[in-house]
Structures are given as C-alpha cells and as structure tokens.
Amino acid sequence: MTKWILIALLLPFSLLADEHPACHSLPLNGQHDSSDQMRAIATSCQEPLVAELYLNRAHHLNLLHKYTAFESSLFHFGARDDLSYIDAYRIYIGLAEAFFIPALEQDDPRLALSRLNRIYDQSEEIAELRFRGYGLLADQLEQKQRNYY
C-alpha cells in the first residue's frame, strides 16, 4: 500500500524533471538567444500552449534573420534598403511580449498564452506579406488585427 502512495507522489515530480526550467518561466529575459535553444525548450515543454509559444519565439528569430539578411543583400546591389517593416514586426512582438506578463498574472494564463500565440501568428503573416511586396494586403490584415484587440 505504501508503495503505491510513494509512486503516486513521486510520479508528478519525475514527469516535471524532463521539462526545461524555462517552460515554467514564461517571461522572455534574453537568456535564450538562438532559435535552436528555443526549439529545444519547446520540445521539452509538456503544456502545448507553452511549447507553441517557444516555437513562435524561435520562428520569430529566424524571420528577423531572414528579412535582415535579404535587405542587406539588396544594399550590396545598390538598391535602397527599407527595414521599416522589419522594425515594425520586431517592435510589435516586443510590445506584445511586454504586455503579456501583466496579462498572465491578471487573466487566465491559458487565455493569455493563446492570445500571445495568435499575435505571433498574425504578425508573422503580416510581415511575410510585406516582405513579399503585398503591402495593401498586409495593411488590411493589420487593420483587422487592430480592430480585434
């Protein structure tokens, strides 16, 4: 009988031992600088919304690198580089992350996580449209996003 009680008590701790500590510390504090680190954290998280958040953060870093590399390659060919859409994407995600912490403490944590993940997805889509030259479509989607939040 005591054997089953010990197993029941120790089982949750053994499940949590496989998770990365960042799965329980959601604020982005700059200690995970590479997208590979973020993906490794995401694969260890057992909560799907937290794993999705770290995957979104990793994808965000990859997109910033892709956009910046493309725009700087244009500069070498003599074309004028316009980094405003990259800065707008980076700043918007930064603000969403900053406002995420108070929302996490005040609201339902699952609701706050799903909102932040949705913001990542929509912002990525807007940035991709601007990157590909579809500024009018990106403006329309951005207007819908503003009206939603």
Side-chain angles (χ1 to χ4, degrees), residues 9-78:
L9 289 175
L10 295 177
L11 186 62
F13 294 112
S14 66
L15 290 176
L16 291 176
D18 295 333
E19 280 190 316
H20 192 280
C23 294
H24 302 285
S25 173
L26 296 180
L28 191 59
N29 54 12
Q31 64 188 3
H32 313 292
D33 295 331
S34 75
S35 59
D36 293 334
Q37 288 176 335
M38 297 258 190
R39 275 194 205 88
I41 293 169
T43 57
S44 73
C45 293
Q46 294 184 10
E47 171 62 44
L49 288 172
V50 174
E52 183 182 356
L53 176 63
Y54 276 101
L55 286 175
N56 282 330
R57 288 172 173 172
H59 193 63
H60 170 73
L61 290 176
N62 287 340
L63 286 179
L64 286 178
H65 179 69
K66 174 181 128 179
Y67 298 154
T68 307
F70 177 76
E71 291 295 338
S72 47
S73 72
L74 288 179
F75 184 70
H76 292 298
F77 290 112

Side-chain angles (χ1 to χ4, degrees), residues 96-148:
E97 284 277 352
F99 287 114
F100 167 67
I101 305 308
L104 187 64
E105 295 168 355
Q106 295 170 357
D107 296 337
D108 177 30
R110 296 183 59 79
L111 179 65
L113 276 170
S114 65
R115 280 184 186 159
L116 185 59
N117 284 328
R118 189 171 44 243
I119 287 170
Y120 266 105
D121 291 339
Q122 290 175 344
S123 299
E124 172 193 329
E125 187 176 357
I126 290 169
E128 276 291 322
L129 286 171
R130 290 198 192 288
F131 176 69
R132 298 188 187 284
Y134 298 109
L136 291 176
L137 286 173
D139 290 342
Q140 290 174 353
L141 189 58
E142 196 172 42
Q143 188 63 38
K144 282 172 101 177
Q145 186 179 17
R146 282 189 196 140
N147 292 339
Y148 184 76

